[in-house]
Amino acid sequence: MQQTRLDTDRIRAARRVIDPMFLDTPLYRCEALEPGLGCAVSIKLETANPVRSFKARGTELVASLLADHGAQAVVCASAGNLGQALAWSARGRGLDVTVVASRFATAAKLDRIRALDARLELVDGDHELARERAAAIARHDGIRLLEDSLDIETCEGAATIGLELVGTAPSFDAVLIALGGGALATGVGHVVKAMAPEVEVICVQPRGAPAMTHSWRQRRVVTTDSTDTIADGVAGRRPIPAVLDDLLLVADDAVLVQEASITAGMRMLLDHAGLVVEPSAALGIAAILEDRDRFAGRHVATIVCGGNVDMAAYHRWVSPRV
């Protein structure tokens, strides 16, 4: 395999830095899902932790490095999960955190960022505007800018999930990974292709936020003017070139799914697995629902990557259709 920016030895070493509460998350075959999906499905559950997403695997590395080098402050843009994770990881290491987010972000995520003692600045625009504002704050204040997916620690932290997946027996035929900025997909994909190359790495993105998938398919950065999806955690418009380069090396496929399939996936995870998940976490199930023939008779793993959701919206999404 050609070389990505990631390093497998660094990924193994990352496990010694990340708080153990974020490691070795539940991985289990959910037989109750199988009749409705037509394939064996194993869930890698990344919601049973203090920030209810996988993001802390990366922020633990970032915060540890900053503290070791005497840094005092850090700023990031976030749709909500990264901000929570960074605030959690930094709080115990004496770092001041500023999170820039869209004021249209999920209220529950914003409330949790505030509760974790981070400074929260809201912008009247989408995540890309938040990224621009975070960069401006970093320049003005002379502090570290954490850029999700570009900063290698966010990818290599996520890649520890891959170590846990490939270390299981029996192995999987395919891994379905939510695709947004690319940290999760490139991290897990790097490990899978390095250690279990026969496993198919399939990235999944909403049709309403297709920039990275279009970029992967065309092998060049493709941007979009807007996004339209309930899966706010993966709703980016401007892929990062270096991240796309990594994705091109590790992904076997990238697919787009409809909003109705995302909500159907959320309902299935609630009804058959007892899991309350945010839309991004149901993308893998949505991909199976839209292409049952592709996965029929196979053993598929999907990463349930986050559970931070506005409950009023959640109930609207998962309520049975009349």
Side-chain angles (χ1 to χ4, degrees), residues 22-310:
F22 299 109
L23 297 172
D24 300 313
T25 52
L27 173 65
Y28 58 95
R29 182 169 169 178
C30 186
E31 294 186 15
L33 285 170
E34 295 174 12
L37 296 176
C39 62
V41 179
S42 286
I43 288 172
K44 181 64 168 164
L45 187 63
E46 292 294 313
T47 63
N49 63 59
V51 297
R52 294 195 292 189
S53 83
F54 75 96
K55 293 289 188 180
R57 293 182 184 245
T59 59
E60 282 287 277
L61 300 183
V62 172
S64 178
L65 286 170
L66 289 174
D68 288 347
H69 288 87
Q72 296 182 328
V74 59
V75 59
C76 74
S78 175
N81 286 345
L82 179 72
Q84 288 182 71
L86 182 60
W88 193 95
S89 296
R91 187 175 61 173
R93 295 176 171 92
L95 297 168
D96 292 328
V97 173
T98 298
V99 179
V100 185
S102 167
R103 67 176 64 255
F104 307 110
T106 300
K109 296 180 179 181
L110 301 181
D111 290 343
R112 185 58 180 157
I113 291 170
R114 295 186 185 99
L116 288 167
D117 300 327
R119 173 176 173 263
L120 180 63
E121 179 173 325
L122 301 179
V123 298
D124 290 312
D126 65 6
H127 181 65
E128 302 303 340
L129 184 62
R131 285 175 60 186
E132 294 173 6
R133 176 56 183 157
I137 291 172
R139 289 192 299 269
H140 182 271
D141 295 350
I143 61 176
R144 167 70 183 272
L145 171 65
L146 171 58
E147 293 193 76
D148 197 14
S149 303
L150 179 59
D151 286 359
I152 200 65
E153 296 89 358
T154 62
C155 303
E156 292 184 340
T160 59
I161 298 171
L163 291 178
E164 295 165 20
L165 282 171
V166 301
T168 63
S171 62
F172 311 102
D173 298 307
V175 179
L176 294 165
I177 310 172
L179 179 60
L184 183 62
T186 60
V188 174
H190 170 90
V191 172
V192 170
K193 285 305 169 188
M195 302 178 67
E198 72 284 358
V199 176
E200 189 176 19
V201 173
I202 303 171
C203 303
V204 190
Q205 200 164 37
R207 288 189 181 277
M212 186 63 98
T213 296
H214 288 331
S215 299
W216 182 86
R217 291 176 178 176
Q218 298 184 35
R219 305 189 68 83
R220 63 178 180 85
V221 170
V222 177
T223 63
T224 60
D225 294 330
S226 61
T227 61
D228 182 16
T229 179
I230 62 171
D232 60 304
V234 294
R237 295 189 291 109
R238 302 174 190 166
I240 298 168
V243 182
L244 174 60
D245 289 343
D246 290 339
L247 191 68
L248 289 169
L249 294 173
V250 302
D252 295 300
D253 200 3
V255 301
L256 298 171
V257 295
Q258 301 177 32
E259 298 294 291
S261 300
I262 298 172
T263 54
M266 294 170 70
R267 285 194 296 274
M268 290 192 76
L269 286 167
L270 176 63
D271 292 343
H272 301 297
L275 297 175
V276 175
V277 306
E278 60 187 85
S280 301
L283 288 171
I285 302 299
I288 302 171
L289 287 170
E290 291 199 5
D291 199 353
R292 285 182 171 87
D293 289 345
R294 176 177 186 173
F295 299 103
R298 304 176 75 191
H299 187 181
V300 179
T302 186
I303 301 167
V304 174
C305 54
N308 291 297
V309 66
D310 178 87

